[in-house]
């Protein structure tokens, strides 16, 4: 079959299966040497650039997208997040665009407190690091500003850590990875009262909702990365309650959450009594997505 015949047929199939049509372009661009202009110009000569093996491979993957509802990022095994190229597999959550903002909030905070060496040159921890996206982007920022910050990343999943290590190497960043539950690895490293910043995008979806998300998420993304217990707040409560033992005075705390959780998390931080400067931050869709605070 000719490439354009295949493309047009599957463009229609995407609509019929309610899959965003830009995902067809996304997969073609990831798995071939074509660029966006090649697709836009619809040049007939493109067909010669695509071998029958490549077309068969594309077709096989695209059918998995349409029928099995496997996200295109898992099919290609890669994603661009901020300016990082990350490998992904079903061992890790696909890093989301809105999570990119957590880095901007941290960078703003560090810039606004640049006189304070503890942030630029201190120890930072990314708890629940998955593909390593947040930890690697933080390491990249601190490397760019020539600071001495040290980044530790923790995940419970060995498989996620394997991939995160590959991603750190691929992006030439130094991150110290540890397996364990939340603060356990930090305790083993005796990092009590020593951490300048704790950042986390923890599982925060109530257990019952995890079963009723889009099939792409419910059937393919790791539930360990999604399931936040009965009310979605199990991991967040742990992060609120235990972080004060590890943060330096003034240490920064920031967590991602889902719509509707921000005011609850603000109350948890206030009730804990060890936090000040509590702030809610919105994402691109103006949803309250992050809460930050400082250790008193
Ligand atoms: C929502 S994902 C976030 C992944 C990545 N930080 C990101 O933003 O794309 C949550 C991560 O927390 C990890 N996790 C779940 N329970 C954990 C625990 N008890 N201790 C450490 N990590 C845990 C999961 O394996 C998953 O990688």
């Amino acid at each position: 079959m000719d490439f354009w015949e295949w493309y047009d047929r599957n463009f229609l199939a995407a609509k019929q299966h309610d899959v965003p049509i830009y995902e067809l372009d996304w997969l073609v661009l990831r798995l071939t040497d074509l660029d966006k202009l090649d697709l836009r110009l619809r040049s007939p000569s493109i067909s010669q650039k695509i071998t029958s093996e490549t077309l068969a491979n594309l077709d096989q993957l695209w059918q998995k997208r349409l029928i099995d509802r496997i996200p295109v990022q898992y099919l290609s095994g890669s994603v661009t997040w901020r300016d990082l190229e990350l490998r992904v597999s079903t061992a890790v959550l696909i890093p989301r665009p809105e999570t990119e903002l957590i880095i901007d909030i941290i960078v703003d905070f560090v810039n606004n407190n640049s006189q304070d060496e503890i942030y630029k040159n201190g120890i930072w921890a990314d708890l629940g690091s998955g593909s390593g996206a947040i930890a690697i982007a933080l390491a990249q920022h601190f490397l760019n500003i020539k600071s001495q910050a040290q980044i530790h990343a923790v995940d419970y999943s060995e498989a996620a850590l394997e991939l995160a290590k590959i991603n750190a190497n691929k992006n030439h960043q130094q991150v110290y990875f540890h397996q364990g539950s939340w603060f356990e690895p930090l305790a083993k490293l005796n990092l009590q009262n020593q951490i300048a910043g704790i950042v986390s995008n923890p599982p925060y979806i109530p257990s019952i909702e995890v079963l009723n998300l889009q099939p792409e998420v419910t059937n393919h993304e790791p539930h360990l990365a999604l399931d936040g217990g009965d009310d979605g707040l199990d991991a967040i409560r742990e992060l609120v309650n235990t972080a004060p033992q590890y943060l330096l005075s003034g240490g920064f705390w920031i967590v991602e959450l889902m719509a509707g959780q921000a005011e609850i998390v603000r109350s948890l931080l206030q009730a804990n009594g060890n936090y000040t400067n509590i702030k809610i931050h919105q994402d691109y869709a103006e949803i309250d997505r992050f809460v930050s605070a400082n250790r008193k």
Side-chain angles (χ1 to χ4, degrees):
M1 191 191 301
D2 164 76
F3 172 75
W4 285 116
E5 201 185 329
W6 175 84
Y7 182 90
D8 290 342
R9 191 180 285 183
N10 283 293
F11 190 88
L12 285 179
K15 284 190 177 167
Q16 283 159 0
H17 286 83
D18 213 13
V19 166
I21 45 184
Y22 64 78
E23 293 194 8
L24 179 60
D25 286 5
W26 194 94
L27 199 64
V28 169
L29 294 174
R30 286 266 157 179
L31 297 177
T32 68
D33 293 333
L34 302 183
D35 59 31
K36 279 188 186 156
L37 199 61
D38 287 328
L39 289 183
R40 200 151 306 145
L41 295 177
R42 286 187 67 92
S43 149
S45 65
I46 282 179
S47 290
Q48 283 133 39
K49 287 197 202 171
I50 308 281
T51 64
S52 54
E53 288 81 23
T54 305
L55 195 57
N57 182 34
L58 265 176
D59 189 55
Q60 197 192 23
L61 293 176
W62 184 246
Q63 296 317 312
K64 286 189 182 165
R65 174 70 193 96
L66 296 182
I67 312 297
D68 301 336
R69 314 300 293 190
I70 301 179
V72 278
Q73 295 90 338
Y74 287 150
L75 292 173
S76 77
S78 63
V79 69
T80 306
W81 190 81
R82 292 181 71 90
D83 57 354
L84 301 173
E85 277 302 313
L86 301 172
R87 269 181 60 180
V88 288
S89 74
T90 51
V92 299
L93 185 97
I94 298 164
R96 303 296 202 264
E98 61 269 24
T99 305
E100 294 183 354
L101 286 172
I102 210 166
I103 305 296
D104 295 320
I105 298 167
I106 296 170
V107 168
D108 279 352
F109 175 80
V110 173
N111 286 345
N112 291 335
N113 293 278
S114 57
Q115 74 290 355
D116 207 331
E117 290 294 313
I118 65 160
Y119 304 115
K120 266 194 312 188
N121 292 322
I123 298 172
W124 287 74
D126 170 23
L127 303 184
S129 76
S131 62
I134 294 173
I136 297 167
L138 271 186
Q140 186 188 48
H141 170 69
F142 287 120
L143 184 69
N144 287 343
I145 63 167
K146 297 186 168 52
S147 77
Q148 307 296 317
Q150 207 183 75
I151 316 294
H152 291 266
V154 170
D155 208 287
Y156 194 73
S157 158
E158 293 274 14
L161 284 166
E162 283 307 308
L163 206 59
K165 284 177 197 166
I166 291 171
N167 284 329
N169 285 335
K170 194 170 147 65
N171 288 279
H172 314 291
Q173 298 304 324
Q174 184 166 48
V175 174
Y176 300 94
F177 290 101
H178 312 280
Q179 193 280 328
S181 185
W182 306 125
F183 294 88
E184 266 172 25
L186 307 183
K188 286 187 191 143
L189 294 165
N190 294 318
L191 289 177
Q192 290 84 348
N193 303 312
Q194 291 190 54
I195 298 189
I198 288 175
V199 46
S200 183
N201 174 17
Y204 51 62
I205 300 173
S207 303
I208 193 115
E209 289 183 36
V210 171
L211 303 176
N212 296 311
L213 300 168
Q214 300 158 272
E216 284 80 355
V217 181
T218 299
N219 297 344
H220 300 289
E221 298 211 76
H223 286 202
L224 183 66
L226 303 168
D227 192 337
D230 283 352
D231 63 356
L233 294 165
D234 282 2
I236 294 176
R237 270 189 290 270
E238 171 71 8
L239 291 161
V240 169
N241 292 337
T242 312
Q245 293 169 36
Y246 291 86
L247 286 168
L248 290 161
S249 174
F252 190 65
W253 184 98
I254 183 163
V255 159
E256 178 175 323
L257 15 99
M258 68 185 265
Q261 291 177 334
E263 286 303 335
I264 304 171
V265 175
R266 189 210 295 271
S267 305
L268 290 174
L269 288 162
Q270 281 167 342
N272 179 279
N274 286 302
Y275 296 94
T276 179
N277 200 21
I278 301 168
K279 287 185 186 152
I280 294 173
H281 309 260
Q282 294 188 328
D283 65 14
Y284 302 118
E286 299 185 358
I287 291 169
D288 291 343
R289 180 63 67 191
F290 311 97
V291 178
S292 70
N294 288 87
R295 171 83 167 96
K296 277 184 185 164

